[in-house]
Amino acid sequence: MGSGMTMIPKPLDRRALEQEQFLKILSREEALARFEAALFPRAILSDRRRLTDALGAALAEDITAPIDVPPFDRSNVDGFAVRSADLSTAGEGAPVRLALNGETIHCGTAPTLQVAAGTITPIATGGPLPRGADAVVMVEHTQPAGSQAIDVRRAVLPGQFVSYAGSDIARGEALLRAGTIIGSREIGMLAACGIAEVNVVRKPRVAVISTGDELVQPGEALAPAAIYDTNGAIVAAAIDENGGEAIFLGAIPDEEAKLEAAMRGALADADMLVLSGGTSKGAGDVSHRIIGRLGQPGVIAHGVALKPGKPLCLAVCDGKPVVILPGFPTSAMFTFHDMIVPVLRRLAGLPPRSDAKVSATVPVRISSELGRTEFVMVSLVEGRNGLIAYPSGKGSGAITSFAQADGFLRIDALADQMPAGTEAEVTLFTPHARVPDLIIVGSHCTGLDLVTAQLSHGGLTVRSIAVGSLGGLAAAKRGECDFAPIHLFDDKTEIYNTPYLVEGLELVSGWRRMQGIVFRKGDKRFEALGAKEAVAAALADPACIMVNRNQGAGTRILIDRLLGGARPEGYWNQPRSHNAVAAAVAQNRADWGMTIAPVADAAGLAFIPFAEEHYDFALVTARKQRPAVQAFLEALGSDEARVALTRAGFRPA
Ligand code: AMP
Ligand code: MG
């Protein structure tokens, strides 16, 4: 085998090139270790702040108490300073008479007279205990005996109602540690010690640049083939969430000179630079080349064994971290939260974010590529025994999975799978993610939003995870959701949905929706035909392209029935939603497909009705009494929902 390589020059070149790239790929752990070694230890950036301006900042120094709090032995009650030994025989029936000393100790009054044996001194709450006294008796347990004496009806223990000097805070004690976030409590502790100013961590200023000719900022018009800059907004927000101060510099086109100028400007001003996009080793991707010219040591890792996220580039330029995140928003998020947030928090003097990790059980086996650390987006749901991390949208469109996800889990590079039942650590995108009140897993329908809107307006959170009818049914059987919306036709009985139920599930009727063939208005091939003839016409024209649906979708069963085993052009294009089918036809990437009438209507397509299907809900009986489930059932039956569904083109059952 080896001899062939030396004889054929061309493949050798290609292999050498591949190998050169391959050799540079580091494991996640190695890349992180090298990045951190190049950055730390380092002095923390700090600012001197007055207490009144320090709220929310992280302390940059350990604070040691400079004084005792309270600074003297202090009375806790209104009463009299006494010598406890004088009162050893006192009781309700046997008061002890003590002679009044000639002063009253108020807050802020330093005592001048000693409490000698047989005497007593009036003292207010907060007053300093006079010499000779060792306890305080409450005023309620005393009685004046003329103007010169007091009768005491209670014995007291030494130290009673006295706060000793330093009992709250002792001088020399560690009061607050560096890294503590200063809240009202911390401000109180500092004030009690007389500290007026502290050193707080200065937030690292982090410049954010998006790269790509295709990027347009939100608020601007979207040109054809352009997309909105998502990373800029997410990354800037995530920086602020993790102790940095983001400075967003917009999107820069893929032009070396412009980008270099922007990067130099950013580094002159900021403590750190985060770019996204342009990091694949393609011709238009220039940012990593520029880094080499911006300072020492430059690129530390370019290419990390991550999935997704392989093109991540980590660099340090004259002490400042420079990161190029992958362009795909989900990849950018995974790598940012997993590898950049820990570094940013260290720069910001903050401890690792413990509130952004939760432990959850994975309900299904997740396969994974051996040799790369794999990130998997998950949605959290409340299961029978704690949290369940439901993998969402693995390999599917970025934004849907992103919208439904609470965070992600990591599968080790050395594992080729994560078995069902694994307890995994989930990194949350937003700390303290709230587990939704109602969980719907199955087939998605725009009608569903019309029903759940009522719940959302009532303050309940609803999560619907679109995995198709069969996937939903499986989740319902495992008890991971409240409802699985399904539309499954049983060929044998010719009945919708009911034949698919098993013990533990019950059917709740939803609505009917018309499935049919869509085509662009004016397409003569399909005009005035029924569904079966339309499909026959499509099959008869070799130039005609279809768009299919994913395996497991109820719509797919109908399509396969119509096609009767044919596999026309476009059959393998299998998007996961009604909307994607309509978009493919409307945008001329396909000529026909099957979707539901309201979606066809919204996309401005012509529609040939085929079958009215039953969109119902498999309810997990064990979860029926949950308040959110009851609220959903009520909303489903309400006039409001029926009107909204009818108006949108559905027929409530
Ligand atoms: P790139 O690494 O620049 O080739 O980008 C990979 C993919 O991510 C492309 O589809 C880009 O359009 C997309 N992308 C890059 N940057 C952004 C961004 N800031 N917002 C949204 N998508 C982006
Ligand atoms: Mg790009």
Side-chain angles (χ1 to χ4, degrees):
M1 283 195 280
S3 62
M5 284 174 63
T6 48
M7 289 165 67
I8 309 163
K10 262 216 146 139
L12 177 69
D13 284 348
R14 207 199 64 227
R15 258 183 231 149
L17 189 70
E18 280 173 2
Q19 199 172 39
E20 191 232 343
Q21 292 199 353
F22 174 74
L23 283 177
K24 282 194 197 150
I25 290 188
L26 301 179
S27 71
R28 169 185 174 274
E29 289 70 26
E30 178 71 23
L32 206 47
R34 290 194 194 181
F35 192 40
E36 292 188 330
L39 288 170
F40 302 108
R42 59 160 56 206
I44 270 184
L45 307 159
S46 73
D47 269 344
R48 193 98 186 132
R49 289 261 182 92
R50 297 180 53 77
L51 268 202
T52 41
D53 300 326
L55 186 68
L59 266 180
E61 54 183 349
D62 288 338
I63 306 261
T64 303
I67 59 162
D68 283 327
V69 178
F72 46 80
D73 298 347
R74 180 172 73 181
S75 173
N76 278 341
V77 294
D78 288 336
F80 296 88
V82 295
R83 299 166 73 104
S84 55
D86 283 349
L87 297 173
S88 57
T89 62
E92 279 302 329
V96 169
R97 184 157 298 178
L98 297 172
L100 262 176
N101 290 313
E103 70 174 343
T104 295
I105 302 166
H106 300 289
C107 274
T109 318
T112 58
L113 301 175
Q114 180 165 339
V115 176
T119 69
I120 190 166
T121 298
I123 188 166
T125 306
L129 210 63
R131 179 182 162 85
D134 63 10
V136 176
V137 62
M138 286 170 83
V139 69
E140 290 87 331
H141 301 137
T142 65
Q143 183 81 46
S147 60
Q148 301 301 314
I150 298 286
D151 284 343
V152 181
R153 299 190 308 273
R154 281 274 168 103
V156 293
L157 292 171
Q160 186 155 306
F161 300 128
V162 176
S163 288
Y164 286 103
S167 56
D168 278 1
I169 298 168
R171 177 195 307 188
E173 177 184 31
L175 186 64
L176 292 168
R177 294 283 179 204
T180 305
I181 301 295
I182 302 175
S184 53
R185 183 179 56 142
E186 287 69 26
I187 286 183
M189 292 163 74
L190 293 163
C193 290
I195 297 171
E197 284 186 351
V198 282
N199 284 322
V200 300
V201 178
R202 173 166 77 66
K203 289 186 174 185
R205 292 162 56 76
V206 186
V208 178
I209 295 177
S210 302
T211 69
D213 297 336
E214 74 280 26
L215 300 179
V216 169
Q217 292 306 313
E220 290 170 14
L222 202 58
I227 58 169
Y228 282 118
D229 175 7
T230 317
N231 295 344
I234 315 182
V235 170
I239 285 168
D240 286 341
E241 279 177 343
N242 285 285
E245 183 190 329
I247 308 156
F248 180 49
L249 300 176
I252 308 287
D254 294 308
E255 282 170 44
E256 195 152 347
K258 276 192 187 155
L259 192 56
E260 180 161 349
M263 289 168 76
R264 284 187 187 279
L267 277 176
D269 183 45
D271 304 303
M272 175 172 176
L273 170 59
V274 179
L275 299 111
S276 66
T279 175
S280 357
K281 296 185 178 177
D285 296 325
V286 294
S287 29
H288 60 96
R289 270 188 275 147
I290 298 170
I291 287 178
R293 304 194 284 268
L294 296 183
Q296 290 306 313
V299 172
I300 284 173
H302 185 198
V304 183
L306 304 172
K307 186 182 176 183
K310 186 171 157 194
L312 177 69
C313 178
L314 306 174
V316 174
C317 297
D318 295 342
K320 296 184 178 181
V322 177
V323 172
I324 315 178
L325 300 172
F328 281 115
T330 43
S331 309
M333 271 294 86
F334 288 140
T335 49
F336 185 80
H337 281 279
D338 186 59
M339 298 179 68
I340 313 305
V341 164
V343 168
L344 173 60
R345 293 185 72 85
R346 255 180 102 175
L347 289 175
L350 298 176
R353 175 141 239 177
S354 57
D355 60 353
K357 308 247 187 219
V358 295
S359 172
T361 311
V362 175
V364 288
R365 176 184 178 279
I366 311 174
S367 60
S368 171
E369 184 182 314
L370 200 62
R372 281 162 84 184
T373 299
E374 190 153 338
F375 298 112
V376 180
M377 201 86 84
V378 295
S379 296
L380 292 175
V381 302
E382 194 80 57
R384 291 190 188 107
N385 312 301
L387 290 178
I388 290 178
Y390 203 93
S392 59
K394 190 175 181 244
S396 80
I399 293 307
T400 44
S401 50
F402 205 49
Q404 288 159 357
D406 295 299
F408 61 91
L409 54 82
R410 213 171 56 213
I411 305 179
D412 198 80
L414 297 177
D416 64 354
Q417 60 146 323
M418 182 173 268
T422 304
E423 259 305 279
E425 183 189 72
V426 175
T427 301
L428 302 176
F429 289 126
T430 305
H432 308 302
R434 180 172 165 204
V435 172
D437 299 305
L438 187 74
I439 297 140
I440 300 173
V441 179
S443 165
H444 187 255
C445 175
T446 48
L448 196 52
D449 301 334
L450 302 174
V451 179
T452 56
Q454 286 186 46
L455 275 67
S456 307
H457 298 157
L460 294 170
T461 52
V462 180
R463 158 92 29 90
S464 89
I465 301 175
V467 295
S469 294
L470 290 173
L473 211 48
K477 287 177 191 167
R478 291 191 302 262
E480 288 160 16
C481 59
D482 297 301
F483 291 103
I486 54 174
H487 51 107
L488 293 165
F489 185 73
D490 181 51
D491 267 332
K492 266 192 247 109
T493 55
E494 306 213 327
I495 295 176
Y496 262 102
N497 300 331
T498 318
Y500 288 86
L501 295 187
V502 295
E503 205 178 309
L505 301 180
E506 55 193 270
L507 199 76
V508 174
S509 292
W511 48 88
R512 309 281 188 262
R513 51 186 206 182
M514 191 54 85
Q515 290 269 14
I517 305 290
V518 280
F519 59 94
R520 287 177 301 282
K521 283 178 183 158
D523 189 333
K524 296 276 179 289
R525 290 173 292 192
F526 303 115
E527 271 178 354
L529 297 181
K532 285 191 183 117
E533 297 88 61
V535 171
L539 291 176
D541 177 0
C544 193
I545 300 180
M546 75 170 292
V547 50
N548 202 351
R549 276 296 307 277
N550 57 304
Q551 199 57 265
T555 309
R556 171 64 175 270
I557 296 174
L558 297 181
I559 297 172
D560 281 339
R561 237 170 67 194
L562 271 175
L563 286 175
R567 298 276 186 276
E569 176 100 32
Y571 184 87
W572 301 106
N573 180 17
Q574 303 182 350
R576 307 183 68 85
S577 75
H578 295 298
N579 289 49
V581 169
V585 175
Q587 292 164 11
N588 211 16
R589 275 175 281 116
D591 301 308
W592 70 275
M594 182 174 286
T595 190
I596 55 175
V599 168
D601 214 41
L605 295 172
F607 184 79
I608 308 169
F610 173 58
E612 191 176 55
E613 72 174 0
H614 297 207
Y615 183 86
D616 298 322
F617 299 90
L619 163 63
V620 178
T621 306
R623 297 170 75 115
K624 194 172 181 177
Q625 294 315 320
R626 300 181 71 225
V629 172
Q630 290 296 317
F632 180 84
L633 293 174
E634 207 171 290
L636 184 63
S638 70
D639 287 343
E640 198 182 330
R642 298 176 78 83
V643 169
L645 285 165
T646 308
R647 196 181 304 134
F650 302 103
R651 197 162 67 81

